[in-house]
Amino acid sequence: MNIDKVFKLAKGFFGRSKNCKSLARERVEKGLEYNYVSRKLKKRDFRKMWIERINAGARQHDMTYSDFQRGLIASGVEINRKILSELAVSEPFSFKVLVDHSKNTVSNLHPKSYIPLDQPKN
């Protein structure tokens, strides 16, 4: 990497890391590594937060997250976790409709699959 680019990226670093070539290069490379890893962790953290919100909303209506998702998938509702979590937080009545729909679907399913009770299991 060009040393001018390194110094530009090292602007604001503490001590000699901002104006010494070798230290600046090491600190910038390490910072770029942390940046790459953090972008992956951010996605993981958001997914975890969405699942926690959906689970909390579903448990308010006496249903677990896994049963709620199972009912939605079996009934063909394709709403992603981000939107479901927003509904659980800001639109509790709309979320309750989805929970009720999921409960009805789960009650008609085979206990360990997505097959309805009236269909024979192969």
Side-chain angles (χ1 to χ4, degrees):
M1 190 182 303
N2 187 355
I3 197 64
D4 293 331
K5 289 182 182 178
V6 170
F7 282 141
K8 187 175 181 179
L9 290 172
K11 191 171 185 175
F13 284 7
F14 186 76
R16 290 192 314 163
S17 297
K18 66 180 169 282
N19 53 15
C20 182
K21 287 182 191 178
S22 59
L23 289 176
R25 180 172 283 123
E26 288 174 11
R27 290 287 84 214
V28 165
E29 286 176 0
K30 195 65 168 176
L32 292 173
E33 287 176 18
Y34 285 135
N35 193 1
Y36 176 79
V37 171
S38 294
R39 286 196 302 270
K40 306 304 174 194
L41 291 176
K42 181 180 176 183
K43 293 170 181 60
R44 183 188 310 169
D45 291 341
F46 269 103
R47 182 182 167 100
K48 182 180 173 185
M49 180 189 66
W50 295 332
I51 290 173
E52 288 171 355
R53 287 179 175 180
I54 296 167
N55 190 19
R59 286 186 186 268
Q60 286 179 346
H61 303 291
D62 301 323
M63 193 169 203
T64 62
Y65 170 77
S66 61
D67 284 340
F68 175 66
Q69 285 290 62
R70 185 169 163 243
L72 289 180
I73 291 169
S75 63
V77 176
E78 295 183 6
I79 302 176
N80 62 15
R81 289 175 181 85
K82 180 179 177 181
I83 302 302
L84 283 173
S85 72
E86 286 297 316
L87 284 175
V89 171
S90 62
E91 293 287 333
F93 295 113
S94 301
F95 189 74
K96 184 177 181 344
V97 170
L98 287 172
V99 171
D100 292 339
H101 183 69
S102 181
K103 274 185 187 178
N104 291 336
T105 305
V106 168
S107 66
N108 295 329
L109 291 178
H110 192 272
K112 295 192 186 272
S113 70
Y114 292 99
I115 301 172
L117 285 174
D118 55 356
Q119 288 182 353
K121 188 175 181 182
N122 295 336

